Coordinates of all heavy atoms in Angstrom, one line a residue:
P1 N -27.4 19.5 22.6 CA -28.7 18.9 22.3 C -28.7 17.4 22.7 O -27.7 16.7 22.5 CB -29.0 19.1 20.8 CG -27.6 19.5 20.2 CD -26.8 20.0 21.4
T2 N -29.8 17.0 23.1 CA -30.0 15.6 23.5 C -30.2 14.8 22.2 O -30.6 15.4 21.2 CB -31.2 15.4 24.4 OG1 -32.4 15.7 23.7 CG2 -31.1 16.2 25.7
P3 N -30.0 13.4 22.2 CA -30.3 12.7 21.0 C -31.7 12.8 20.5 O -31.9 12.8 19.3 CB -30.0 11.2 21.4 CG -29.1 11.3 22.6 CD -29.5 12.6 23.3
A4 N -32.7 13.0 21.3 CA -34.0 13.2 20.9 C -34.2 14.5 20.1 O -35.0 14.6 19.2 CB -35.0 13.1 22.1
T5 N -33.5 15.6 20.5 CA -33.7 16.9 19.9 C -32.7 17.1 18.8 O -32.9 18.0 18.0 CB -33.6 18.0 20.9 OG1 -32.3 17.9 21.5 CG2 -34.6 17.9 22.0
A6 N -31.7 16.3 18.7 CA -30.7 16.5 17.6 C -31.3 16.3 16.3 O -31.0 17.1 15.3 CB -29.5 15.6 17.8
G7 N -32.1 15.3 16.1 CA -32.7 15.0 14.8 C -33.7 16.1 14.4 O -33.8 16.5 13.3
A8 N -34.4 16.6 15.5 CA -35.5 17.6 15.2 C -34.8 18.9 14.8 O -35.3 19.6 14.0 CB -36.3 17.8 16.5
A9 N -33.6 19.2 15.3 CA -33.0 20.5 15.0 C -32.6 20.4 13.5 O -32.6 21.5 12.8 CB -31.7 20.7 15.9
S10 N -32.2 19.3 13.0 CA -31.7 19.2 11.6 C -32.9 19.4 10.6 O -32.7 19.8 9.5 CB -31.0 17.9 11.3 OG -31.9 16.9 11.4
L11 N -34.1 19.2 11.1 CA -35.3 19.4 10.2 C -35.6 20.9 10.0 O -36.2 21.2 9.0 CB -36.5 18.8 10.9 CG -36.5 17.2 10.9 CD1 -37.8 16.7 11.7 CD2 -36.4 16.6 9.6
D12 N -35.0 21.7 10.8 CA -35.2 23.2 10.7 C -34.3 23.8 9.6 O -34.4 25.0 9.3 CB -35.0 23.9 12.0 CG -36.0 23.5 13.1 OD1 -37.1 23.0 12.6 OD2 -35.8 23.6 14.2
R13 N -33.4 23.1 9.1 CA -32.4 23.6 8.1 C -33.1 23.8 6.8 O -33.8 23.0 6.3 CB -31.3 22.6 8.0 CG -30.2 23.0 7.1 CD -29.1 22.1 7.1 NE -28.0 22.6 6.2 CZ -26.9 21.9 5.9 NH1 -26.8 20.7 6.3 NH2 -26.0 22.4 5.1
D14 N -32.8 25.0 6.2 CA -33.4 25.3 4.9 C -32.5 24.7 3.8 O -31.4 25.2 3.5 CB -33.4 26.9 4.8 CG -34.1 27.3 3.4 OD1 -34.4 26.4 2.6 OD2 -34.2 28.5 3.2
L15 N -33.0 23.6 3.3 CA -32.2 22.9 2.3 C -32.0 23.6 1.0 O -31.0 23.3 0.2 CB -32.8 21.5 2.1 CG -32.9 20.6 3.3 CD1 -33.5 19.3 2.9 CD2 -31.5 20.3 3.8
S16 N -32.8 24.6 0.7 CA -32.6 25.4 -0.5 C -31.3 26.2 -0.5 O -30.8 26.7 -1.5 CB -33.8 26.2 -0.8 OG -33.9 27.2 0.2
K17 N -30.8 26.4 0.7 CA -29.6 27.3 0.9 C -28.3 26.4 0.8 O -27.2 27.0 0.8 CB -29.6 28.0 2.2 CG -30.7 29.1 2.2 CD -30.8 29.8 3.5 CE -31.9 30.9 3.5 NZ -31.9 31.6 4.7
V18 N -28.4 25.1 0.8 CA -27.3 24.2 0.9 C -26.3 24.5 -0.3 O -25.1 24.6 -0.1 CB -27.7 22.7 1.0 CG1 -26.5 21.8 0.8 CG2 -28.3 22.5 2.3
P19 N -26.8 24.5 -1.6 CA -25.9 24.8 -2.7 C -25.0 26.0 -2.5 O -23.8 26.0 -2.7 CB -26.8 24.9 -3.9 CG -28.0 24.1 -3.5 CD -28.2 24.3 -2.1
S20 N -25.6 27.1 -2.1 CA -24.9 28.4 -1.9 C -23.9 28.3 -0.8 O -22.8 28.8 -0.8 CB -25.8 29.6 -1.8 OG -26.6 29.4 -0.7
Q21 N -24.3 27.6 0.3 CA -23.4 27.4 1.4 C -22.2 26.5 1.0 O -21.1 26.8 1.4 CB -24.2 26.7 2.6 CG -25.2 27.6 3.3 CD -26.1 26.8 4.2 OE1 -26.1 25.6 4.2 NE2 -26.9 27.6 5.0
M22 N -22.5 25.5 0.2 CA -21.4 24.7 -0.3 C -20.4 25.5 -1.2 O -19.2 25.4 -1.0 CB -21.9 23.5 -1.0 CG -22.6 22.4 -0.1 SD -23.3 21.1 -1.1 CE -21.8 20.3 -1.8
D23 N -21.0 26.3 -2.0 CA -20.2 27.2 -2.9 C -19.3 28.1 -2.1 O -18.1 28.2 -2.4 CB -21.0 28.0 -3.8 CG -21.6 27.2 -5.0 OD1 -21.1 26.1 -5.3 OD2 -22.6 27.6 -5.6
A24 N -19.8 28.7 -1.0 CA -19.1 29.6 -0.2 C -17.9 28.8 0.5 O -16.8 29.3 0.6 CB -20.0 30.2 0.9
E25 N -18.2 27.6 1.0 CA -17.2 26.8 1.7 C -16.1 26.4 0.7 O -14.9 26.4 1.0 CB -17.8 25.6 2.3 CG -18.5 25.9 3.6 CD -17.6 26.5 4.7 OE1 -16.5 25.9 5.0 OE2 -17.9 27.6 5.1
F26 N -16.5 26.0 -0.5 CA -15.5 25.6 -1.5 C -14.6 26.8 -1.9 O -13.4 26.6 -2.0 CB -16.2 25.1 -2.8 CG -16.9 23.8 -2.7 CD1 -18.0 23.5 -3.5 CD2 -16.5 22.8 -1.8 CE1 -18.6 22.3 -3.4 CE2 -17.1 21.6 -1.6 CZ -18.2 21.3 -2.4
E27 N -15.2 28.0 -2.0 CA -14.3 29.1 -2.3 C -13.4 29.4 -1.2 O -12.2 29.8 -1.4 CB -15.2 30.3 -2.7 CG -15.8 30.2 -4.1 CD -16.5 31.5 -4.5 OE1 -16.2 32.6 -4.0 OE2 -17.4 31.4 -5.3
R28 N -13.9 29.3 0.0 CA -13.1 29.6 1.2 C -11.9 28.6 1.4 O -10.8 29.0 1.7 CB -13.9 29.6 2.5 CG -13.2 29.9 3.8 CD -14.2 30.0 5.0 NE -14.6 28.6 5.4 CZ -13.9 27.8 6.2 NH1 -12.7 28.2 6.6 NH2 -14.4 26.6 6.5
L29 N -12.2 27.3 1.1 CA -11.2 26.3 1.4 C -10.3 26.0 0.2 O -9.2 25.4 0.3 CB -11.9 25.0 1.8 CG -12.7 25.1 3.1 CD1 -13.5 23.8 3.4 CD2 -11.7 25.3 4.3
D30 N -10.8 26.3 -1.0 CA -10.0 26.0 -2.3 C -9.1 27.1 -2.7 O -9.4 27.8 -3.6 CB -11.0 25.6 -3.4 CG -10.3 25.1 -4.6 OD1 -9.2 24.5 -4.5 OD2 -10.9 25.2 -5.7
S31 N -8.0 27.3 -2.0 CA -7.2 28.4 -2.2 C -6.5 28.4 -3.6 O -6.2 29.5 -4.1 CB -6.1 28.5 -1.1 OG -5.3 27.3 -1.1
D32 N -6.2 27.3 -4.1 CA -5.5 27.2 -5.4 C -6.5 27.0 -6.6 O -6.1 26.7 -7.7 CB -4.4 26.2 -5.4 CG -5.0 24.8 -5.1 OD1 -6.2 24.7 -4.8 OD2 -4.2 23.8 -5.2
S33 N -7.8 27.1 -6.4 CA -8.8 26.9 -7.4 C -8.7 25.6 -8.2 O -8.8 25.6 -9.4 CB -8.7 28.1 -8.4 OG -9.0 29.3 -7.7
A34 N -8.4 24.6 -7.5 CA -8.3 23.2 -8.1 C -9.6 22.5 -8.2 O -9.7 21.6 -9.0 CB -7.3 22.4 -7.3
L35 N -10.6 23.0 -7.5 CA -11.9 22.3 -7.6 C -12.7 22.8 -8.8 O -12.9 24.1 -8.9 CB -12.7 22.6 -6.3 CG -14.0 21.9 -6.2 CD1 -13.9 20.4 -6.1 CD2 -14.7 22.4 -4.9
R36 N -13.1 22.0 -9.6 CA -13.9 22.3 -10.8 C -15.1 21.5 -10.9 O -15.1 20.3 -10.6 CB -13.0 22.1 -12.1 CG -11.7 22.9 -12.1 CD -12.0 24.3 -12.7 NE -10.8 25.0 -12.9 CZ -10.4 26.0 -12.2 NH1 -11.1 26.5 -11.2 NH2 -9.3 26.7 -12.5
P37 N -16.2 22.0 -11.4 CA -17.4 21.2 -11.6 C -17.1 20.2 -12.8 O -16.5 20.5 -13.8 CB -18.5 22.2 -12.0 CG -17.8 23.4 -12.5 CD -16.4 23.4 -11.8
T38 N -17.7 19.0 -12.7 CA -17.5 18.0 -13.7 C -18.8 17.2 -13.9 O -19.5 16.9 -13.0 CB -16.4 17.0 -13.2 OG1 -15.2 17.7 -13.0 CG2 -16.1 15.9 -14.3
I39 N -19.1 17.0 -15.1 CA -20.2 16.2 -15.5 C -19.7 14.8 -15.9 O -18.9 14.8 -16.9 CB -21.1 16.8 -16.6 CG1 -21.7 18.1 -16.1 CG2 -22.2 15.8 -17.1 CD1 -22.4 18.9 -17.2
I40 N -20.1 13.8 -15.2 CA -19.6 12.4 -15.6 C -20.7 11.7 -16.4 O -21.9 11.6 -16.0 CB -19.3 11.6 -14.3 CG1 -18.2 12.3 -13.5 CG2 -18.9 10.2 -14.7 CD1 -17.9 11.7 -12.2
T41 N -20.4 11.3 -17.6 CA -21.3 10.6 -18.4 C -20.8 9.2 -18.6 O -19.9 8.9 -19.4 CB -21.4 11.3 -19.8 OG1 -21.7 12.7 -19.6 CG2 -22.5 10.7 -20.6
P42 N -21.4 8.2 -17.9 CA -20.9 6.9 -18.0 C -21.4 6.2 -19.3 O -22.4 6.6 -19.9 CB -21.5 6.1 -16.8 CG -22.7 7.0 -16.5 CD -22.4 8.4 -16.9
G43 N -20.6 5.2 -19.8 CA -21.0 4.5 -21.0 C -22.2 3.6 -20.7 O -22.7 3.5 -19.6
E44 N -22.7 3.1 -21.8 CA -23.9 2.2 -21.7 C -23.6 0.9 -21.0 O -24.4 0.2 -20.4 CB -24.5 2.0 -23.0 CG -25.2 3.3 -23.6 CD -25.9 3.0 -24.9 OE1 -26.2 1.9 -25.2 OE2 -26.1 4.0 -25.6
V45 N -22.3 0.4 -21.2 CA -21.9 -0.9 -20.7 C -20.8 -0.6 -19.6 O -19.9 0.2 -19.9 CB -21.4 -1.8 -21.8 CG1 -20.9 -3.1 -21.1 CG2 -22.4 -2.1 -22.8
W46 N -21.0 -1.1 -18.4 CA -20.0 -1.0 -17.4 C -19.2 -2.2 -17.2 O -19.7 -3.3 -17.5 CB -20.7 -0.6 -16.0 CG -21.4 0.7 -16.0 CD1 -21.6 1.6 -17.0 CD2 -22.2 1.2 -14.9 NE1 -22.3 2.6 -16.6 CE2 -22.8 2.4 -15.3 CE3 -22.5 0.7 -13.6 CZ2 -23.5 3.1 -14.5 CZ3 -23.3 1.4 -12.8 CH2 -23.8 2.7 -13.2
T47 N -18.0 -2.1 -16.7 CA -17.2 -3.2 -16.4 C -17.0 -3.2 -14.9 O -16.5 -2.2 -14.3 CB -15.8 -3.2 -17.1 OG1 -16.0 -3.1 -18.5 CG2 -15.0 -4.4 -16.8
R48 N -17.3 -4.4 -14.3 CA -17.1 -4.5 -12.8 C -15.9 -5.5 -12.5 O -15.9 -6.6 -13.1 CB -18.4 -5.0 -12.1 CG -18.1 -5.3 -10.7 CD -19.3 -5.6 -9.9 NE -20.0 -6.7 -10.4 CZ -21.3 -7.0 -10.1 NH1 -21.9 -6.4 -9.1 NH2 -21.9 -8.1 -10.6
R49 N -15.0 -5.0 -11.7 CA -13.9 -5.9 -11.3 C -14.2 -6.1 -9.8 O -14.4 -5.2 -9.0 CB -12.6 -5.1 -11.4 CG -12.2 -5.0 -12.9 CD -10.9 -4.2 -13.0 NE -10.8 -3.6 -14.3 CZ -11.2 -2.4 -14.6 NH1 -11.8 -1.6 -13.7 NH2 -11.1 -1.9 -15.8
A50 N -14.3 -7.4 -9.4 CA -14.6 -7.8 -8.1 C -13.7 -8.9 -7.6 O -13.1 -9.7 -8.4 CB -16.1 -8.2 -8.0
Q51 N -13.7 -9.1 -6.3 CA -12.9 -10.2 -5.7 C -13.8 -10.7 -4.6 O -14.1 -10.0 -3.6 CB -11.6 -9.6 -5.2 CG -10.6 -10.7 -4.8 CD -9.2 -10.0 -4.5 OE1 -9.0 -8.9 -5.0 NE2 -8.4 -10.7 -3.8
K52 N -14.3 -12.0 -4.7 CA -15.2 -12.5 -3.7 C -14.6 -12.7 -2.3 O -15.4 -12.7 -1.4 CB -15.8 -13.8 -4.3 CG -16.6 -13.6 -5.5 CD -17.4 -14.8 -5.8 CE -18.2 -14.6 -7.1 NZ -19.6 -14.3 -6.9
A53 N -13.3 -12.9 -2.2 CA -12.7 -13.1 -0.9 C -11.3 -12.4 -1.0 O -10.8 -12.2 -2.1 CB -12.6 -14.5 -0.5
L54 N -10.7 -12.2 0.1 CA -9.4 -11.6 0.2 C -8.3 -12.3 -0.7 O -7.6 -11.7 -1.4 CB -8.9 -11.4 1.6 CG -7.7 -10.7 1.8 CD1 -7.8 -9.2 1.3 CD2 -7.3 -10.7 3.3
L55 N -8.3 -13.6 -0.6 CA -7.3 -14.4 -1.3 C -7.8 -14.9 -2.6 O -7.1 -15.6 -3.3 CB -6.8 -15.5 -0.4 CG -6.1 -15.0 0.9 CD1 -5.7 -16.2 1.7 CD2 -4.9 -14.1 0.6
A56 N -9.0 -14.7 -3.0 CA -9.6 -15.2 -4.3 C -9.0 -14.4 -5.5 O -8.6 -13.2 -5.3 CB -11.1 -15.1 -4.2
K57 N -9.1 -15.0 -6.6 CA -8.7 -14.3 -7.8 C -9.7 -13.2 -8.2 O -10.9 -13.5 -8.1 CB -8.5 -15.3 -9.0 CG -7.3 -16.2 -8.9 CD -7.1 -16.9 -10.1 CE -5.8 -17.7 -10.1 NZ -5.5 -18.3 -11.4
P58 N -9.3 -12.1 -8.7 CA -10.2 -11.1 -9.1 C -11.0 -11.5 -10.4 O -10.4 -12.3 -11.2 CB -9.4 -9.9 -9.4 CG -8.0 -10.1 -8.9 CD -7.9 -11.6 -8.7
S59 N -12.2 -11.1 -10.5 CA -13.0 -11.4 -11.7 C -13.5 -10.2 -12.3 O -13.6 -9.1 -11.7 CB -14.2 -12.3 -11.3 OG -15.1 -11.6 -10.5
T60 N -13.8 -10.2 -13.6 CA -14.3 -9.1 -14.4 C -15.5 -9.5 -15.1 O -15.6 -10.6 -15.7 CB -13.2 -8.6 -15.4 OG1 -12.0 -8.3 -14.7 CG2 -13.7 -7.4 -16.1
E61 N -16.5 -8.6 -15.0 CA -17.8 -8.9 -15.8 C -18.4 -7.6 -16.3 O -18.1 -6.5 -15.8 CB -18.8 -9.6 -14.9 CG -19.4 -8.8 -13.8 CD -20.4 -9.6 -13.0 OE1 -21.4 -10.0 -13.6 OE2 -20.2 -9.8 -11.8
T62 N -19.1 -7.7 -17.4 CA -19.7 -6.6 -18.0 C -21.2 -6.5 -17.5 O -21.8 -7.5 -17.4 CB -19.8 -6.8 -19.6 OG1 -18.9 -7.8 -20.0 CG2 -19.3 -5.5 -20.3
L63 N -21.6 -5.2 -17.3 CA -23.0 -5.0 -16.8 C -23.7 -4.2 -17.8 O -23.4 -3.1 -18.2 CB -22.9 -4.2 -15.5 CG -22.2 -4.9 -14.3 CD1 -22.2 -3.9 -13.1 CD2 -22.7 -6.2 -14.0
G64 N -24.8 -4.8 -18.3 CA -25.8 -4.1 -19.2 C -26.7 -3.2 -18.4 O -26.6 -3.1 -17.1
S65 N -27.7 -2.6 -19.0 CA -28.6 -1.7 -18.3 C -29.4 -2.3 -17.2 O -29.6 -1.7 -16.1 CB -29.5 -1.0 -19.3 OG -30.3 -2.0 -19.9
E66 N -29.8 -3.6 -17.3 CA -30.6 -4.3 -16.3 C -29.7 -4.5 -15.1 O -30.1 -4.3 -13.9 CB -31.2 -5.6 -16.8 CG -32.4 -5.4 -17.7 CD -33.5 -4.7 -17.0 OE1 -33.9 -5.0 -15.9 OE2 -34.1 -3.8 -17.7
E67 N -28.5 -5.0 -15.3 CA -27.6 -5.3 -14.2 C -27.2 -4.0 -13.5 O -27.0 -3.9 -12.3 CB -26.3 -6.0 -14.7 CG -26.6 -7.4 -15.2 CD -26.9 -7.5 -16.7 OE1 -26.9 -6.4 -17.3 OE2 -27.1 -8.6 -17.2
Q68 N -27.0 -2.9 -14.3 CA -26.6 -1.6 -13.7 C -27.7 -1.1 -12.8 O -27.5 -0.7 -11.7 CB -26.4 -0.6 -14.8 CG -25.1 -0.8 -15.6 CD -25.0 0.1 -16.7 OE1 -25.5 1.3 -16.7 NE2 -24.3 -0.3 -17.8
K69 N -29.0 -1.3 -13.2 CA -30.1 -0.8 -12.4 C -30.2 -1.6 -11.1 O -30.4 -1.1 -10.0 CB -31.4 -1.0 -13.2 CG -32.6 -0.5 -12.4 CD -33.9 -0.6 -13.1 CE -35.1 -0.2 -12.4 NZ -35.1 0.0 -11.0
R70 N -30.0 -3.0 -11.2 CA -30.0 -3.8 -10.0 C -28.9 -3.4 -9.0 O -29.1 -3.3 -7.8 CB -29.9 -5.3 -10.4 CG -30.1 -6.2 -9.3 CD -30.0 -7.7 -9.7 NE -28.6 -8.0 -10.2 CZ -28.4 -8.4 -11.5 NH1 -29.4 -8.6 -12.3 NH2 -27.2 -8.7 -11.9
E71 N -27.7 -3.2 -9.5 CA -26.6 -2.8 -8.7 C -26.8 -1.4 -8.1 O -26.5 -1.2 -6.9 CB -25.3 -2.8 -9.5 CG -24.8 -4.2 -9.9 CD -24.5 -5.1 -8.8 OE1 -23.9 -4.6 -7.8 OE2 -24.8 -6.3 -8.8
R72 N -27.3 -0.5 -8.9 CA -27.6 0.9 -8.4 C -28.6 0.8 -7.3 O -28.5 1.4 -6.2 CB -28.0 1.8 -9.5 CG -28.2 3.2 -9.1 CD -28.5 4.1 -10.3 NE -29.2 3.6 -11.4 CZ -28.6 3.3 -12.6 NH1 -27.3 3.5 -12.8 NH2 -29.3 2.7 -13.6
D73 N -29.7 0.1 -7.5 CA -30.8 -0.1 -6.5 C -30.2 -0.7 -5.2 O -30.6 -0.2 -4.1 CB -31.9 -0.9 -7.0 CG -32.7 -0.2 -8.1 OD1 -32.5 1.1 -8.3 OD2 -33.5 -0.8 -8.8
G74 N -29.4 -1.7 -5.4 CA -28.8 -2.3 -4.2 C -27.9 -1.4 -3.4 O -27.9 -1.4 -2.2
A75 N -27.1 -0.5 -4.1 CA -26.3 0.5 -3.5 C -27.1 1.5 -2.7 O -26.8 1.8 -1.6 CB -25.4 1.2 -4.5
F76 N -28.2 1.9 -3.3 CA -29.1 2.9 -2.6 C -29.8 2.2 -1.4 O -30.0 2.9 -0.4 CB -30.1 3.5 -3.6 CG -29.5 4.7 -4.4 CD1 -29.3 4.6 -5.7 CD2 -29.0 5.8 -3.7 CE1 -28.8 5.6 -6.5 CE2 -28.5 6.9 -4.5 CZ -28.3 6.7 -5.8
D77 N -30.2 1.0 -1.6 CA -30.8 0.3 -0.4 C -29.8 0.2 0.7 O -30.2 0.4 1.9 CB -31.2 -1.1 -0.8 CG -32.4 -1.1 -1.7 OD1 -33.1 -0.1 -1.8 OD2 -32.7 -2.2 -2.4
L78 N -28.5 -0.1 0.4 CA -27.5 -0.2 1.5 C -27.3 1.2 2.1 O -27.2 1.3 3.3 CB -26.2 -0.7 0.9 CG -25.0 -0.8 1.8 CD1 -25.3 -1.7 3.0 CD2 -23.7 -1.2 1.1
L79 N -27.3 2.2 1.3 CA -27.1 3.6 1.8 C -28.3 4.0 2.7 O -28.1 4.5 3.8 CB -27.0 4.6 0.6 CG -26.7 6.0 1.0 CD1 -25.4 6.2 1.7 CD2 -26.7 6.9 -0.3
D80 N -29.5 3.6 2.3 CA -30.7 3.9 3.1 C -30.6 3.1 4.5 O -30.9 3.7 5.5 CB -32.0 3.4 2.4 CG -32.4 4.4 1.4 OD1 -31.9 5.5 1.4 OD2 -33.3 4.0 0.5
A81 N -30.1 1.9 4.4 CA -30.0 1.1 5.7 C -28.9 1.7 6.6 O -29.0 1.6 7.8 CB -29.7 -0.3 5.3
L82 N -27.8 2.3 6.1 CA -26.7 2.8 6.9 C -26.9 4.2 7.3 O -26.2 4.7 8.2 CB -25.4 2.6 6.1 CG -25.0 1.2 5.8 CD1 -23.8 1.2 4.9 CD2 -24.8 0.4 7.1
T83 N -27.8 4.9 6.7 CA -28.0 6.4 7.0 C -29.0 6.6 8.1 O -30.1 6.1 7.9 CB -28.4 7.1 5.7 OG1 -27.5 6.8 4.7 CG2 -28.5 8.6 5.9
P84 N -28.6 7.3 9.1 CA -29.6 7.6 10.2 C -30.7 8.5 9.6 O -30.5 9.4 8.8 CB -28.8 8.3 11.2 CG -27.4 8.3 10.8 CD -27.3 7.8 9.4
C85 N -31.9 8.3 10.1 CA -33.0 9.0 9.6 C -33.8 9.7 10.7 O -34.1 9.0 11.7 CB -33.9 8.1 8.8 SG -35.4 8.9 8.1
P86 N -34.1 11.0 10.6 CA -34.9 11.6 11.7 C -36.3 11.2 11.8 O -37.0 11.4 12.7 CB -34.8 13.1 11.3 CG -34.6 13.1 9.9 CD -33.8 11.9 9.5
W87 N -36.8 10.5 10.7 CA -38.2 10.0 10.7 C -38.2 8.6 11.1 O -37.2 8.0 11.3 CB -38.8 10.2 9.3 CG -38.8 11.5 8.8 CD1 -39.5 12.6 9.2 CD2 -37.9 12.0 7.8 NE1 -39.1 13.7 8.5 CE2 -38.1 13.4 7.7 CE3 -36.9 11.4 7.0 CZ2 -37.4 14.2 6.8 CZ3 -36.2 12.2 6.2 CH2 -36.5 13.6 6.0
S88 N -39.4 8.0 11.2 CA -39.5 6.6 11.5 C -38.8 5.8 10.4 O -38.8 6.2 9.2 CB -40.9 6.2 11.7 OG -41.6 6.3 10.4
R89 N -38.3 4.6 10.7 CA -37.6 3.8 9.7 C -38.3 3.5 8.4 O -37.8 3.6 7.4 CB -37.1 2.5 10.4 CG -36.1 1.7 9.6 CD -34.8 2.3 9.9 NE -33.9 2.2 8.7 CZ -33.2 3.3 8.2 NH1 -33.4 4.5 8.6 NH2 -32.4 3.1 7.2
P90 N -39.6 3.1 8.5 CA -40.3 2.8 7.2 C -40.3 4.0 6.2 O -40.3 3.8 5.0 CB -41.7 2.4 7.6 CG -41.5 1.9 9.0 CD -40.4 2.8 9.6
R91 N -40.4 5.2 6.7 CA -40.4 6.4 5.8 C -39.1 6.6 5.1 O -39.0 7.3 4.1 CB -40.8 7.6 6.6 CG -42.3 7.6 7.0 CD -42.7 8.9 7.5 NE -42.6 9.9 6.5 CZ -42.6 11.2 6.8 NH1 -42.8 11.6 8.0 NH2 -42.5 12.1 5.9
C92 N -38.0 6.1 5.7 CA -36.7 6.3 5.1 C -36.4 5.4 4.0 O -35.6 5.7 3.1 CB -35.6 6.1 6.2 SG -35.6 7.4 7.4
T93 N -37.0 4.2 3.9 CA -36.6 3.3 2.9 C -37.3 3.6 1.6 O -38.3 4.2 1.5 CB -37.1 1.8 3.3 OG1 -38.5 1.8 3.5 CG2 -36.4 1.5 4.6
S94 N -36.7 3.1 0.5 CA -37.2 3.4 -0.8 C -38.5 2.6 -1.1 O -39.2 2.9 -2.1 CB -36.1 3.1 -1.9 OG -35.8 1.8 -1.8
S95 N -38.8 1.6 -0.3 CA -39.9 0.8 -0.5 C -41.2 1.4 0.1 O -42.3 0.8 0.1 CB -39.7 -0.6 0.0 OG -39.5 -0.6 1.4
S96 N -41.1 2.5 0.8 CA -42.3 3.1 1.4 C -43.2 3.7 0.4 O -42.8 4.1 -0.7 CB -41.9 4.2 2.4 OG -41.2 5.3 1.8
P97 N -44.5 3.8 0.6 CA -45.5 4.4 -0.3 C -45.3 5.8 -0.5 O -44.8 6.5 0.2 CB -46.8 4.1 0.3 CG -46.6 3.6 1.7 CD -45.2 3.3 1.8

């Protein structure tokens, strides 16, 4: 497929079948049954360890709910910016109407 038709072909995929396709692949590839479903419940307060530069000292800070929301939104904004989208760019961003 050409680059122009590659994005259009992915729109024809029935996304409601993705979970069952993933389950089938997991069963096929997980020969020792090591893969298990897990629910992660994070605490109300997060601790972030960061290093501003390669040779800088690491710092630790606590993030409350507002800081967590800001960091999560920033992560999704970055993901949106880095993810190719078959639609026009404004429709892919979270700031679209």
Side-chain angles (χ1 to χ4, degrees):
T2 66
T5 60
S10 66
L11 292 176
D12 295 336
R13 185 173 183 192
D14 183 359
L15 297 178
S16 66
K17 294 182 181 180
V18 170
S20 60
Q21 292 169 346
M22 287 177 66
D23 285 341
E25 284 298 304
F26 290 152
E27 285 188 26
R28 183 178 71 84
L29 297 171
D30 187 25
S31 60
D32 59 353
S33 299
L35 183 65
R36 299 274 189 252
T38 303
I39 296 174
I40 299 173
T41 308
E44 291 184 23
V45 177
W46 295 358
T47 303
R48 174 174 51 194
R49 291 178 204 89
Q51 194 170 339
K52 294 194 183 256
L54 184 61
L55 298 176
K57 286 189 174 188
S59 64
T60 303
E61 68 178 300
T62 348
L63 302 177
S65 60
E66 287 298 316
E67 292 92 357
Q68 290 175 30
K69 180 180 180 345
R70 186 179 62 243
E71 293 295 323
R72 185 175 30 253
D73 290 347
F76 280 114
D77 288 345
L78 178 61
L79 186 60
D80 283 344
L82 297 175
T83 305
C85 181
W87 305 286
S88 65
R89 191 83 211 126
R91 288 188 62 196
C92 289
T93 62
S94 59
S95 61
S96 64

